[in-house]
Amino acid sequence: MPKRDNRRRRTIWVKEGDSRVVQVIDQRKLPHAYEVLDLTTTDQAAAAIKDMAVRGAGLIGVTAGYGMYLAALEAPRDGSFDEYVLRAGERLKATRPTAINLARAVERQIKAVKAASSIEEKISAAFETAREMVQEDVDCCRRIGEHGLEIVEKISREKKGAPVHILTHCNAGWLAFVDRGTATAPVYAAFEKGIKVHVWVEETRPRNQGAGLTAWELKESGVPHDIIVDNAGGYVMQHGLVDMVITGTDRTTITGDVCNKIGTYKTALAARDNGVPFYVALPSSSLDWRARDGITEIPIEERDPDEVTHAEGLLDGKIVRIRTAPQGSPARNYAFDVTPARLVTGLITERGICQASEDGISSLFPEHR
Amino acid sequence: MPKRDNRRRRTIWVKEGDSRVVQVIDQRKLPHAYEVLDLTTTDQAAAAIKDMAVRGAGLIGVTAGYGMYLAALEAPRDGSFDEYVLRAGERLKATRPTAINLARAVERQIKAVKAASSIEEKISAAFETAREMVQEDVDCCRRIGEHGLEIVEKISREKKGAPVHILTHCNAGWLAFVDRGTATAPVYAAFEKGIKVHVWVEETRPRNQGAGLTAWELKESGVPHDIIVDNAGGYVMQHGLVDMVITGTDRTTITGDVCNKIGTYKTALAARDNGVPFYVALPSSSLDWRARDGITEIPIEERDPDEVTHAEGLLDGKIVRIRTAPQGSPARNYAFDVTPARLVTGLITERGICQASEDGISSLFPEHR
């Protein structure tokens, strides 16, 4: 979205002049440095996902898609080709259990590779499938922006053009997808249309994707915003400073339970308690058609406790990691939580807005009924 | 509470052999270093409060009490004595607007000084009043511990001796008072009695008083605990891992609205949504007998946004401050929020436990009816 060097950047692309190299923005360095990372093997793609050089539901999916293409490139050119790609898929899937886009991208690639006959065709099928995923991701985010824009426009009219205050948690911005993002897509659409918007960015401990990534995106795009600690989300709602909440999701069940970055649930509770509409923006690739109860059925990743006892940031021009907790105090690091459907005002999808319920979702996606 | 050098430490004391020097633990250095700060003037006491070398409702009050004693020591020994002390009180009160104990300690000292006739008697009255405040604070916390213990014991019996999981936010431990603390007093009482307890410590951004102070206290005392990010408080409750919440308060209205560190409100919402009892432990000195509506009537301090865009911690043995947010992204730093009485299961006071309501509070403190 934001232009760097006057070029419209995306989060992932194939290197100009060398289609055997996939390039991504190294998001671990943001917002302090903008660096590009080369991915030339499946293992590098898996490491980029696991270590969160790339993150976010959509981008994890697309990176896995390209990871499978890299697997096809490196697979032995004999009868064990499919088997090699299959095992590469297992490695990719093991990196992050919660995001459903990851498993889905891997499975789609396996299907594409199996369907092709010659090895050259298999490689080509994997490449084309990855490119399709990119295009679908971009299209979904654009459409989510258009649908979400209607809500923002309505609030803007009700407020007679006064700024619409939108609160978001974590990063479901363009950095989490290929372009535009989901939760931020309506914001960018409104901003481009000249509607006054202001975003409250919850910093989103422990990894600070709000302060580090969403704020960076908004700043680069010139969208007015303020960073607050996650704890302050309730305060700003209590004081009438929030018109709507939009977050993303890593996986949403067919009943509308929303699994998203840890803390989303508390924010949703605050929205409900203050009558603030709470929307979740998602491409249908984040819908889990098999899961019904988000709390019991979605696996929640537990990450390294060091993320909780430490913080990362810039000191004298270098990125450092400092200890915030006492030596010897243990910590637990649950990475996601589930916001029950009852707290969700609506789902903003590429096909329109629906209730967070089985009926609502089925009305937009009848083919999964 | 925890013993250092085999001596039972408090958070504030008069220097051995020199009653003109007040000493406090410099809590800005915790948990990374244990340092003692000398306060020899009112301005030093005011700075210690403003810069949060001392913090926490009770300790702010007692420090202000000693600050007024230091004002009496430095006041001109003529007819302008009372006036000097009065103005010193104004400077102290201006340091932190939310904690009611601060204003109350100052007013009590002014009354004591005015009531005494000679200058020597005025100084002596200020010293004795500060000592009384210390003793009252210690007594209150001890009694709060005894009353809160009953709740913990009941849960322990119901769980047939399995560990009682208590979640807390910020630090209302002994570091926030003179000794034992309020929210932690029942925990220490239970632990000393051999009841199995485990504390979930919310780190409490932006200043990390949970991770930095509460975890340090618990670790020093050997109480089992785990630090979590504030965002994870909802998750642990959703998964049945919390038996009760206890927090402190900086000011509670006569109707039971609880003003406390930013984020307490979100935590209370999560407790309510999961049927987890939410208790607030407080000495009656934190009750504001004049305020009814916590959200509109309690002044909320807004602190330096740098606390939000930065984090502080240990790097190579030194305490450093790192930037976590992008250069150029603005932030807001609301320090407290209000948990409406309807979300509070009960108030644990020095006189017993009551409902968070005007009737409940009046039943324990009829003299204020």
Side-chain angles (χ1 to χ4, degrees):
Chain A
M1 263 297 270
K3 290 170 186 140
R4 290 194 80 87
D5 316 326
N6 275 334
R7 290 209 302 164
R8 191 180 171 82
R9 270 273 185 252
R10 288 180 165 180
T11 53
I12 187 166
W13 60 93
V14 173
K15 189 175 180 179
E16 245 180 85
D18 186 355
S19 67
R20 299 176 71 89
V21 181
V22 176
Q23 296 187 303
V24 295
I25 299 173
D26 187 347
Q27 301 195 21
R28 294 166 301 185
K29 306 291 173 68
L30 290 177
H32 311 297
Y34 178 91
E35 289 179 16
V36 170
L37 192 68
D38 284 359
L39 308 178
T40 56
T41 65
T42 316
D43 285 345
Q44 285 175 355
I49 296 171
K50 184 155 189 70
D51 304 340
M52 297 180 72
V54 296
R55 24 66 54 203
L59 182 55
I60 286 174
V62 173
T63 306
Y66 273 117
M68 292 296 279
Y69 157 62
L70 295 172
L73 284 180
E74 72 203 21
R77 307 196 160 218
D78 57 29
S80 66
F81 185 96
D82 284 14
E83 178 59 25
Y84 182 92
V85 171
L86 205 72
R87 276 185 286 119
E90 292 308 316
R91 292 204 303 284
L92 282 164
K93 279 202 282 186
T95 53
R96 305 222 38 211
T98 306
I100 192 164
N101 305 57
L102 171 51
R104 198 160 277 165
V106 167
E107 282 151 25
R108 183 163 159 190
Q109 282 286 32
I110 288 170
K111 214 167 150 187
V113 165
K114 278 192 180 157
S117 34
S118 75
I119 284 182
E120 280 318 308
E121 278 166 16
K122 284 175 190 288
I123 294 171
S124 168
F127 185 70
E128 285 309 319
T129 305
R131 279 167 60 112
E132 273 169 39
M133 289 178 193
V134 165
Q135 200 46 50
E136 286 165 16
D137 186 276
V138 171
D139 287 346
C140 270
C141 289
R142 183 179 49 73
R143 284 196 221 124
I144 287 167
E146 288 164 5
H147 297 303
L149 172 62
E150 293 168 27
I151 306 170
V152 180
E153 278 183 316
K154 184 163 174 284
I155 297 171
S156 174
R157 279 195 303 272
E158 284 163 8
K159 293 186 78 176
K160 302 191 194 312
V164 178
H165 297 285
I166 299 165
L167 183 142
T168 192
H169 188 76
C170 197
N171 175 265
W174 70 268
L175 288 168
F177 292 84
V178 176
D179 204 352
R180 303 192 78 87
T182 52
T184 53
V187 174
Y188 290 128
F191 182 71
E192 284 161 11
K193 218 177 155 178
I195 295 167
K196 279 190 194 152
V197 288
H198 165 263
V199 182
W200 291 108
V201 179
E202 291 190 338
E203 66 171 344
T204 318
R205 280 278 292 158
R207 291 184 65 92
N208 286 337
Q209 295 97 330
L213 304 180
T214 303
W216 181 81
E217 276 192 43
L218 294 170
K219 180 182 69 79
E220 294 269 312
S221 306
V223 178
H225 65 284
D226 281 291
I227 302 169
I228 51 174
V229 292
D230 306 304
N231 283 327
Y235 176 94
V236 288
M237 290 192 225
Q238 237 177 3
H239 287 78
L241 303 172
V242 182
D243 295 304
M244 69 186 294
V245 178
I246 317 181
T247 75
T249 173
D250 294 80
R251 186 187 296 215
T252 288
T253 66
I254 180 70
T255 60
D257 286 350
V258 172
C259 181
N260 192 41
K261 180 55 38 68
I262 193 80
T264 304
Y265 169 51
K266 271 187 171 183
T267 296
L269 286 167
R272 171 55 51 100
D273 200 47
N274 292 285
V276 174
F278 181 92
Y279 287 96
V280 175
L282 74 165
S284 57
S285 58
S286 295
L287 284 165
D288 184 341
W289 306 104
R290 279 176 300 221
R292 303 194 63 84
D293 182 340
I295 295 172
T296 59
E297 293 177 41
I298 298 177
I300 299 290
E301 179 181 352
E302 198 176 339
R303 297 182 58 85
D304 189 341
D306 278 6
E307 292 184 352
V308 175
T309 54
H310 291 70
E312 222 175 71
L314 202 67
L315 179 73
D316 301 331
K318 277 200 310 218
I319 297 172
V320 298
R321 192 174 155 103
I322 59 173
R323 168 172 276 277
T324 54
Q327 282 282 2
S329 275
R332 298 293 291 267
N333 187 12
Y334 308 102
F336 301 91
D337 61 23
V338 171
T339 298
R342 65 185 151 86
L343 300 176
V344 180
T345 308
L347 304 176
I348 308 174
T349 77
E350 72 270 25
R351 290 201 194 158
I353 299 161
C354 69
Q355 282 202 325
S357 67
E358 193 159 6
D359 282 352
I361 294 170
S362 296
S363 71
L364 289 184
F365 300 94
E367 68 272 33
H368 289 282
R369 197 187 291 267
Chain B
M1 262 301 266
K3 289 168 187 142
R4 291 194 79 88
D5 316 327
N6 275 333
R7 292 207 302 163
R8 190 180 172 83
R9 271 272 185 253
R10 288 180 165 181
T11 52
I12 188 166
W13 60 92
V14 173
K15 189 176 181 180
E16 245 179 86
D18 186 354
S19 67
R20 299 177 69 89
V21 180
V22 177
Q23 295 187 304
V24 295
I25 300 172
D26 187 346
Q27 300 196 19
R28 293 166 301 186
K29 306 291 175 67
L30 289 176
H32 310 297
Y34 179 91
E35 289 178 19
V36 170
L37 192 67
D38 285 358
L39 308 178
T40 56
T41 65
T42 316
D43 286 345
Q44 284 175 356
I49 296 171
K50 184 155 187 70
D51 304 339
M52 297 181 73
V54 296
R55 23 66 55 203
L59 181 56
I60 285 174
V62 173
T63 306
Y66 273 118
M68 291 296 279
Y69 157 63
L70 295 172
L73 284 179
E74 71 202 24
R77 305 194 163 219
D78 55 30
S80 66
F81 185 95
D82 283 16
E83 177 58 26
Y84 182 92
V85 171
L86 205 73
R87 272 185 288 119
E90 292 308 315
R91 291 204 304 284
L92 282 164
K93 280 202 282 186
T95 53
R96 303 219 41 208
T98 305
I100 191 163
N101 305 56
L102 171 51
R104 197 161 276 163
V106 167
E107 282 152 24
R108 183 164 160 189
Q109 283 285 32
I110 288 170
K111 215 169 151 186
V113 165
K114 279 192 179 158
S117 33
S118 75
I119 283 180
E120 280 318 310
E121 278 166 17
K122 284 174 190 291
I123 294 171
S124 169
F127 185 69
E128 285 310 319
T129 305
R131 279 168 60 113
E132 273 169 39
M133 288 178 194
V134 165
Q135 201 45 52
E136 286 165 17
D137 185 275
V138 171
D139 287 347
C140 269
C141 289
R142 184 181 47 74
R143 285 196 220 122
I144 287 167
E146 288 164 7
H147 296 304
L149 173 61
E150 293 169 28
I151 306 170
V152 181
E153 277 183 315
K154 185 163 173 285
I155 296 172
S156 175
R157 279 195 304 273
E158 284 164 7
K159 293 185 77 175
K160 303 191 194 312
V164 178
H165 297 285
I166 299 165
L167 182 142
T168 192
H169 188 75
C170 196
N171 176 264
W174 70 269
L175 288 168
F177 292 84
V178 175
D179 204 354
R180 303 191 79 84
T182 53
T184 53
V187 174
Y188 289 128
F191 183 70
E192 283 161 12
K193 219 179 156 178
I195 295 167
K196 279 190 193 150
V197 287
H198 165 263
V199 182
W200 291 108
V201 179
E202 291 190 336
E203 65 171 346
T204 318
R205 279 279 292 160
R207 291 183 64 91
N208 286 337
Q209 295 98 330
L213 304 179
T214 303
W216 181 80
E217 277 193 42
L218 295 169
K219 180 183 70 80
E220 294 270 311
S221 306
V223 178
H225 64 284
D226 280 292
I227 302 169
I228 51 175
V229 291
D230 306 304
N231 282 328
Y235 176 93
V236 289
M237 292 193 225
Q238 235 177 6
H239 286 79
L241 302 172
V242 182
D243 295 304
M244 69 187 294
V245 178
I246 318 182
T247 75
T249 173
D250 294 81
R251 185 187 296 215
T252 287
T253 67
I254 181 69
T255 58
D257 286 351
V258 172
C259 181
N260 192 42
K261 180 54 38 68
I262 193 80
T264 304
Y265 169 52
K266 270 187 172 182
T267 297
L269 286 167
R272 170 55 51 100
D273 200 49
N274 291 286
V276 173
F278 181 92
Y279 287 96
V280 175
L282 74 166
S284 56
S285 58
S286 295
L287 283 165
D288 184 342
W289 307 105
R290 279 176 299 220
R292 301 192 64 83
D293 180 339
I295 295 173
T296 59
E297 293 177 39
I298 298 177
I300 300 289
E301 180 182 351
E302 198 175 337
R303 296 182 59 85
D304 189 340
D306 278 6
E307 291 183 354
V308 175
T309 53
H310 290 71
E312 221 175 72
L314 203 67
L315 179 74
D316 301 332
K318 277 201 309 216
I319 297 172
V320 297
R321 191 174 157 102
I322 60 172
R323 168 172 276 276
T324 53
Q327 282 282 3
S329 275
R332 297 294 292 266
N333 187 10
Y334 308 102
F336 301 91
D337 62 23
V338 171
T339 299
R342 65 185 150 84
L343 300 176
V344 180
T345 308
L347 303 176
I348 310 174
T349 78
E350 71 270 24
R351 292 202 191 156
I353 298 161
C354 70
Q355 282 202 324
S357 67
E358 192 158 7
D359 282 353
I361 294 169
S362 295
S363 71
L364 289 183
F365 300 94
E367 68 273 32
H368 289 281
R369 196 186 292 266

